[in-house]
Amino acid sequence: MFDYEKFEHAILGQMTAVFNKWAEEKEDLYIFSLDCTRNLESIGVIGNTISYLEEQAEKDSEDYWYYKYCEEEWELFDTFEAVSADMGRYLEEQKNTFSNPETLTYSDAFDAHFDQIIDHCKHALLRFRQTINENYPHILLTFNVREFWDSEERAEIFQAINDENASKEYSEHIEDFA
């Protein structure tokens, strides 16, 4: 059985450690994203700085919003190796349960596990927001699972962990990066 509570605690601890390191190294960090692969083989964080954003696009350029909010274009990356390894071990243990070997499609059991992982990641992000809010209320937080959520779902997650003004901007420009 996968220990989702332990997983959430580990994610929160890793996010905090990496964030503190990046915030110390990069005074202009503006966004921090929890990033999980759809196949649940890897999890980590991605971040970006204002200076790196400005190197990619000017504020009035057509692709500014893409570079501001598209995790794949950001400067900072860190994979949570130990947590990813634990996730991988569980996938290997459950390989006959989680996918159909003939069709190579995910099973309902995998989808239920995926949903639990996602719920605990969201909860860890909410807890993380509470942790950093006093000293870093301006830092935007996102949650990324590449090519999985539609624009509406991405906006809902963003709104749950960021303030109203940031959420409005994110939603207004989501078609530029999602």
Side-chain angles (χ1 to χ4, degrees):
M1 184 84 187
F2 193 82
D3 188 338
Y4 296 104
E5 295 300 322
K6 179 181 173 188
F7 168 79
E8 182 179 316
H9 184 71
I11 293 297
L12 180 58
Q14 288 285 176
M15 283 192 301
T16 302
V18 173
F19 178 83
N20 288 339
K21 178 179 180 262
W22 287 354
E24 187 176 307
E25 295 173 351
K26 307 285 187 173
E27 293 181 8
D28 62 342
L29 183 70
Y30 75 90
I31 197 162
F32 188 81
S33 180
L34 181 59
D35 184 71
C36 185
T37 59
R38 169 64 174 119
N39 61 11
L40 300 179
E41 291 179 359
S42 179
I43 192 161
V45 287
I46 305 172
N48 206 15
T49 61
I50 292 169
S51 55
Y52 190 79
L53 171 61
E54 289 172 348
E55 290 174 18
Q56 307 310 307
E58 294 181 17
K59 179 122 175 137
D60 60 352
S61 73
E62 184 177 301
D63 50 357
Y64 175 80
W65 302 107
Y66 171 77
Y67 285 102
K68 182 172 183 177
Y69 289 117
C70 182
E71 288 91 347
E72 294 173 23
E73 300 296 337
W74 295 351
E75 175 183 17
L76 307 166
F77 299 87
D78 190 285
T79 301
F80 302 162
E81 298 293 342
V83 179
S84 296
D86 288 343
M87 291 168 62
R89 274 190 293 280
Y90 188 71
L91 291 173
E92 182 61 30
E93 292 168 4
Q94 301 298 316
K95 68 181 175 187
N96 294 329
T97 305
F98 281 172
S99 65
N100 181 326
E102 293 175 17
T103 63
L104 301 176
T105 57
Y106 294 127
S107 67
D108 290 342
F110 175 84
D111 289 338
H113 174 63
F114 178 83
D115 290 345
Q116 283 289 321
I117 292 288
I118 296 306
D119 287 346
H120 283 272
C121 285
K122 289 177 184 177
H123 192 251
L125 273 167
L126 289 169
R127 292 173 57 198
F128 181 70
R129 166 56 74 199
Q130 293 171 345
T131 301
I132 68 163
N133 216 36
E134 185 175 330
N135 295 323
Y136 300 99
H138 64 283
I139 298 292
L140 302 172
L141 299 178
T142 67
F143 184 24
N144 186 44
V145 178
R146 281 184 197 91
E147 300 175 7
F148 181 70
W149 287 308
D150 64 23
S151 297
E152 186 176 310
E153 290 168 310
R154 286 179 67 91
E156 286 174 13
I157 293 166
F158 189 90
Q159 183 177 14
I161 52 179
N162 293 284
D163 70 34
E164 187 176 330
N165 291 332
S167 297
K168 184 176 188 277
E169 177 184 275
Y170 188 88
S171 294
E172 287 173 357
H173 298 284
I174 200 160
E175 296 306 320
D176 294 327
F177 60 89

